[in-house]
Amino acid sequence: MNISKEEIKKEKKYLDNCINVIKDYLSELGQELYEKEEKSQEFKKYIWDNKASLDPTELKSLMSDNDLEVYLMMQKGKYFQRLFKIQNSPYFGSIIFEEENEPSKNIYLGITHLEDKNKNYLIYDWRAPISSLFYDYEVGECSYKAPEKIIKGNLKRKRQYKIEDGKIKHIFDNSINIDDSLLQEVLSNDGSEKMKNIVNTIQQEQNKIIRNVEDKSLIVQGIAGSGKTSVALHRIAFLLYKIENLSSKNVLIFSPNNVFSEYISNVLPELGEDNPSETTYANFLESCIKEYKSIETFTEFIARYYTYKEKNIDLVKYKQSDEIIKDIEDYVLYLIKNIKFTKNIEIDIFNEVTKEQLKKLFERYDRFPLFTRITEISKKLSESYARGKLTLARSINKKILESMNIEKNYKKIYYNFYKSKFCKIKLSDNEIRKFVNKNKINYEDAIIFSYIKGLLEGFNYNNMIKEIVVDEAQDYTLLQYKILSKIFKKSSFSILGDVNQTINPYYKYESLEQIKEVLDKTKYLELTKTYRSSKEIIEYTNKILNLKFVSAIRKDNNKPVLFRKETNLKKQLLNDINYLKKEYKSVAIITKDDEEANEIYNLLKDDINIGKITINEEIFRKDLIVVPSYMAKGLEFDSVIVYNKINNIYKENEKYLYYVACSRAQHELIIYN
């Protein structure tokens, strides 16, 4: 739709006004924050100089008032930062909305709100209820959910802007159609070093997930390139805006590896929010397991299969299976049912508790896990004989443990599981010792070990974390989700993944909906459109897994997938790299495994500036990188060369890994084999 000169003039005037208001606010807020900081320093000095003479009640009152002032200053500081970010590009879209029986309103959307001195809204935060109209509707009848009620009306116009350095570069009038001009422009751009926010191009199916607050937890199945990770991060930003008293400190993200964490680190700061805590599952388990010096990472676990050729595949498959959950639970139940107290314990020289009395107490406290039960019994006996004296409670606890027919030694308990009738795989003592007595516990063992330990002493409930995001959800077993649900009992989960991108060779979901078995009040949703790759690349990747429902949204280059035979490898690779680097910002050579990644890096490093991501080197560079397939998860590149040696081709059971490698490409894909 053509926009008149008069309309463009109005838009420029509105933009200039917004920029001027922002500059005024920045000046005023900057001065206020400076003065408040000076005042805060003076207050601290006053308290320090007068702490001896201040009345405790007076001191408490002064501190309370100061805490409130500090909080308000922090909020203003955050708003200052947001305004600073948008001063040259204040908004990205607008709508004209006509509420029933009300005059129409022109609503502008940005990453934060802006009011003029008369409290008139100039810009609405993209997360505000009314802003949902921009993402959810074409021109015509529409509605949005306000705090009090549903507001109905008509969407008269939807407009998008490209604003740079305080100037309007482009204006697009369009519907929500995924073929809209701005979306296609964004998709055709070269990739950046790090993931960026997508507030100006969020699509309807993505918006439904981002703004969902009706369901406690969400499980999202999203095909490659559907924007799962972006949706997850924007959902965090929305929840921080929507939920009172929720801060980034209350959010925890589970990432597949440190490379991925670095790649997504810019998104929330771009949206004016602090990054929450991030962890991998292995790092998370370190807080639960103190019996081992270190824990194998998920990447090392995967490399053990693809690079170092794990020998006992059947055993690892069993350890990763859903079947083992019941086996462990039956084993722990058996231990508890067969607890015996072999001797009486002496409280002091005057008092003794018989083994029969201990047994009765043990049964009375059956609501507690095994070793927590012993702690509670010790407290009870201490209260009975010494008014709860802590040193006596510890002494009693030790004596009770010594009188039991089970030792509080989790390594030994874990070892005995594999010797028990509950273990489905029969192993020799030597085979068990190989993985139980290591200094570094295997990834699959760490999961089971933490579950057994939790069942015996209780899971350390974490009430600090209220929102949990799990990315690449398909690579976590049901047992891992069960552990998370027990530690974060009251937390909400946003779980996002793609069963077609499973890289765990030992575990495969038919559907992510299976995770609902261990999570309460969970809704399953799907993202079915892909925005990453060209039509030609998607057609090729569809064939890998026989996918029929994935279609391309982008309409940019029409470049075919190219295939190379290994003749003069080095010469051919350098030719392809030089060609791709002329066209695109980022080129990735994705190998099957870590070993191949090192070989290609060593082959090329003296002739071209190239980086590598391997198990031991997780430094992310976007311009030219060589990376094993299982470490490329969640990343995307303008162009990709998929390489693997002729004697190391992807087998039928490794097709999902091959799919991951090929689907990282945005514009161009070259296959070597």
Side-chain angles (χ1 to χ4, degrees):
M1 183 184 289
N2 290 327
I3 301 169
S4 68
K5 288 182 179 179
E6 187 64 30
E7 189 70 16
I8 292 172
K9 190 176 176 181
K10 282 182 184 177
E11 288 285 9
K12 286 180 177 177
K13 186 178 179 181
Y14 194 87
L15 174 62
D16 290 342
N17 181 47
C18 287
I19 290 172
N20 288 331
V21 171
I22 290 169
K23 285 179 178 177
D24 289 344
Y25 271 127
L26 286 173
S27 177
E28 290 171 16
L29 276 171
Q31 183 63 32
E32 185 181 350
L33 289 168
Y34 175 76
E35 289 171 0
K36 288 278 176 66
E37 178 61 26
E38 279 195 329
K39 188 177 175 183
S40 177
Q41 295 301 325
E42 288 172 6
F43 174 79
K44 288 175 183 176
K45 186 176 183 302
Y46 172 77
I47 294 295
W48 179 258
D49 293 342
N50 297 278
K51 62 180 181 179
S53 60
L54 284 170
D55 177 81
T57 306
E58 184 187 2
L59 180 61
K60 189 177 179 180
S61 176
L62 285 169
M63 294 299 289
S64 181
D65 290 343
N66 187 64
D67 287 347
L68 178 60
E69 199 154 328
V70 168
Y71 172 77
L72 293 172
M73 187 172 74
M74 286 174 63
Q75 295 304 107
K76 287 183 177 182
K78 283 185 176 182
Y79 188 55
F80 179 89
Q81 290 174 342
R82 290 185 182 126
L83 290 179
F84 188 81
K85 287 178 185 294
I86 69 165
Q87 60 182 318
N88 295 317
S89 183
Y91 49 85
F92 57 82
S94 71
I95 55 172
I96 294 179
F97 175 63
E98 190 176 81
E99 188 180 338
E100 290 179 343
N101 304 316
E102 295 287 340
S104 60
K105 291 192 291 187
N106 200 348
I107 296 176
Y108 287 77
L109 287 74
I111 66 166
T112 193
H113 71 279
L114 180 70
E115 295 177 353
D116 63 18
K117 298 298 181 183
N118 298 317
K119 301 297 180 183
N120 298 311
Y121 263 90
L122 298 177
I123 302 171
Y124 286 77
D125 193 299
W126 69 275
R127 297 165 292 187
I130 198 169
S131 301
S132 65
L133 297 172
F134 179 81
Y135 302 109
D136 287 342
Y137 288 96
E138 300 179 45
V139 170
E141 290 184 4
C142 62
S143 64
Y144 70 94
K145 190 175 180 180
E148 300 84 16
K149 61 178 181 177
I150 302 291
I151 307 293
K152 296 180 179 179
N154 269 281
L155 189 63
K156 310 296 287 186
R157 191 192 72 199
K158 177 182 170 184
R159 179 168 286 178
Q160 294 171 283
Y161 308 86
K162 186 177 180 181
I163 300 171
E164 293 177 357
D165 300 322
K167 305 293 182 184
I168 297 174
K169 299 295 183 183
H170 298 293
I171 301 177
F172 306 99
D173 274 0
N174 49 30
S175 70
I176 197 170
N177 193 314
I178 53 177
D179 295 331
D180 70 54
S181 307
L182 187 59
L183 175 61
Q184 290 300 325
E185 182 177 317
V186 170
L187 293 178
S188 64
N189 290 338
D190 289 345
S192 56
E193 189 76 17
K194 293 185 179 182
M195 182 179 283
K196 292 184 172 293
N197 78 72
I198 58 167
V199 288
N200 57 339
T201 58
I202 292 170
Q203 300 299 294
Q204 189 179 33
E205 65 170 2
Q206 297 171 329
N207 194 49
K208 283 181 179 177
I209 294 166
I210 291 168
R211 292 176 182 264
N212 185 306
V213 290
E214 289 78 31
D215 301 287
K216 183 186 177 189
S217 296
L218 299 179
I219 298 168
V220 179
Q221 159 65 35
I223 59 173
S226 59
K228 292 184 295 295
T229 304
S230 288
V231 166
L233 295 170
H234 287 71
R235 176 166 170 77
I236 292 171
F238 177 78
L239 294 174
L240 291 171
Y241 172 88
K242 179 75 174 177
I243 301 174
E244 195 174 355
N245 298 323
L246 183 72
S247 76
S248 56
K249 295 177 182 178
N250 308 126
V251 181
L252 178 63
I253 299 176
F254 282 88
S255 295
N257 52 54
N258 294 329
V259 174
F260 183 79
S261 299
E262 177 65 18
Y263 178 55
I264 67 173
S265 62
N266 274 5
V267 176
L268 283 165
E270 278 185 0
L271 296 170
E273 301 291 352
D274 296 329
N275 273 322
S277 297
E278 250 184 283
T279 187
T280 63
Y281 206 93
N283 287 341
F284 166 72
L285 288 177
E286 286 178 355
S287 63
C288 311
I289 300 173
K290 304 299 182 186
E291 290 79 4
Y292 291 87
K293 286 185 178 179
S294 60
I295 296 172
E296 181 185 50
T297 67
F298 176 71
T299 304
E300 290 170 328
F301 164 69
I302 297 299
R304 199 164 14 105
Y305 178 90
Y306 289 109
T307 302
Y308 303 110
K309 312 304 176 189
E310 168 66 51
K311 293 179 178 59
N312 203 338
I313 289 174
D314 288 340
L315 176 60
V316 182
K317 276 186 178 176
Y318 173 63
K319 289 178 179 179
Q320 285 270 291
S321 70
D322 294 343
E323 180 186 17
I324 202 171
I325 299 174
K326 187 173 185 307
D327 294 345
I328 291 166
E329 290 169 349
D330 288 345
Y331 169 65
V332 170
L333 188 62
Y334 173 82
L335 293 179
I336 294 169
K337 280 185 175 179
N338 288 274
I339 286 293
K340 290 183 174 62
F341 296 93
T342 58
K343 59 184 179 182
N344 302 341
I345 65 163
E346 189 180 81
I347 304 294
D348 52 39
I349 58 173
F350 304 106
N351 297 287
E352 185 180 73
V353 180
T354 67
K355 56 188 180 181
E356 289 80 16
Q357 288 173 312
L358 287 174
K359 182 70 174 174
K360 284 181 181 178
L361 281 168
F362 185 78
E363 290 168 355
R364 190 187 303 170
Y365 284 82
D366 62 355
R367 66 186 182 278
F368 294 103
L370 173 57
F371 292 118
T372 308
R373 217 183 289 194
I374 303 304
T375 303
E376 292 301 316
I377 292 169
S378 303
K379 289 178 185 174
K380 177 67 178 174
L381 292 172
S382 171
E383 288 168 5
S384 301
Y385 293 100
R387 297 180 182 177
K389 193 175 178 182
L390 189 61
T391 53
L392 184 62
R394 289 172 182 163
S395 171
I396 294 170
N397 191 286
K398 186 180 177 183
K399 289 174 181 178
I400 295 174
L401 289 172
E402 288 171 352
S403 78
M404 290 166 58
N405 63 336
I406 181 172
E407 188 180 345
K408 191 180 179 181
N409 182 326
Y410 290 110
K411 277 191 178 183
K412 193 171 182 179
I413 291 168
Y414 188 48
Y415 174 93
N416 286 338
F417 167 71
Y418 292 99
K419 297 291 290 181
S420 75
K421 63 182 180 181
F422 302 99
C423 179
K424 298 293 191 301
I425 289 186
K426 300 306 169 190
L427 301 166
S428 69
D429 289 353
N430 191 47
E431 286 174 316
I432 301 170
R433 289 192 191 98
K434 278 182 182 177
F435 60 82
V436 172
N437 293 338
K438 292 169 67 176
N439 287 325
K440 185 175 184 176
I441 187 171
N442 289 341
Y443 181 77
E444 71 275 23
D445 289 302
I447 297 164
I448 303 167
F449 189 96
S450 67
Y451 191 52
I452 290 175
K453 189 174 179 180
L455 291 174
L456 288 170
E457 69 174 32
F459 296 88
N460 292 324
Y461 170 55
N462 188 318
N463 63 356
M464 175 74 177
I465 302 300
K466 297 175 182 177
E467 296 287 338
I468 291 175
V469 175
V470 180
D471 208 348
E472 303 298 342
Q474 71 281 352
D475 293 325
Y476 295 74
T477 66
L478 211 57
L479 177 56
Q480 289 175 269
Y481 288 112
K482 194 159 190 173
I483 293 167
L484 291 179
S485 70
K486 289 182 178 294
I487 293 173
F488 304 101
K489 293 176 188 174
K490 295 183 180 178
S491 302
S492 297
F493 287 79
S494 298
I495 296 169
L496 303 97
D498 178 16
V499 291
N500 297 315
Q501 295 184 66
T502 299
I503 65 169
N504 187 339
Y506 308 103
Y507 194 87
K508 178 78 168 67
Y509 289 101
E510 291 300 315
S511 166
L512 292 182
E513 200 164 7
Q514 290 169 249
I515 300 168
K516 289 170 74 173
E517 293 175 27
V518 295
L519 291 180
D520 295 330
K521 301 175 183 175
T522 304
K523 187 169 184 177
Y524 175 79
L525 297 162
E526 293 185 354
L527 291 170
T528 59
K529 299 181 178 77
T530 180
Y531 306 93
R532 176 184 296 146
S533 305
S534 68
K535 176 175 176 269
E536 291 74 21
I537 293 170
I538 289 173
E539 285 175 350
Y540 179 74
T541 54
N542 282 352
K543 289 176 186 175
I544 298 171
L545 299 180
N546 294 317
L547 301 177
K548 295 180 174 62
F549 57 87
V550 181
S551 58
I553 300 302
R554 60 189 319 150
K555 298 180 175 182
D556 49 357
N557 55 21
N558 298 315
K559 292 185 178 179
V561 176
L562 301 175
F563 298 88
R564 304 281 193 244
K565 287 187 178 179
E566 194 174 309
T567 50
N568 186 332
L569 179 61
K570 184 176 181 178
K571 184 181 178 181
Q572 185 66 66
L573 276 171
L574 287 171
N575 285 341
D576 282 333
I577 290 167
N578 287 325
Y579 154 67
L580 292 171
K581 281 182 71 67
K582 285 179 185 176
E583 294 281 325
Y584 309 108
K585 282 185 181 178
S586 64
V587 181
I589 304 171
I590 301 180
T591 63
K592 183 179 178 182
D593 56 38
D594 206 62
E595 192 174 79
E596 285 184 356
N598 281 311
E599 286 176 11
I600 295 297
Y601 175 77
N602 290 327
L603 180 71
L604 300 174
K605 67 179 182 178
D606 294 331
D607 295 272
I608 197 162
N609 187 14
I610 188 170
K612 68 172 175 175
I613 300 173
T614 60
I615 296 170
N616 301 314
E617 296 177 70
E618 295 190 353
I619 300 170
F620 183 64
R621 275 182 48 190
K622 196 73 185 285
D623 53 345
L624 178 60
I625 198 85
V626 59
V627 55
S629 52
Y630 41 79
M631 292 197 74
K633 290 292 289 290
L635 306 179
E636 59 183 37
F637 304 89
D638 293 325
S639 55
V640 168
I641 297 170
V642 175
Y643 170 83
N644 66 284
K645 291 188 286 191
I646 198 71
N647 62 350
N648 191 33
I649 60 172
Y650 291 87
K651 303 179 185 69
E652 174 61 23
N653 68 333
E654 298 167 346
K655 61 185 179 182
Y656 299 102
L657 191 64
Y658 184 56
Y659 175 79
V660 167
C662 294
S663 62
R664 300 308 92 197
Q666 293 179 274
H667 304 284
E668 201 153 354
L669 175 64
I670 302 175
I671 309 290
Y672 278 66
N673 57 36

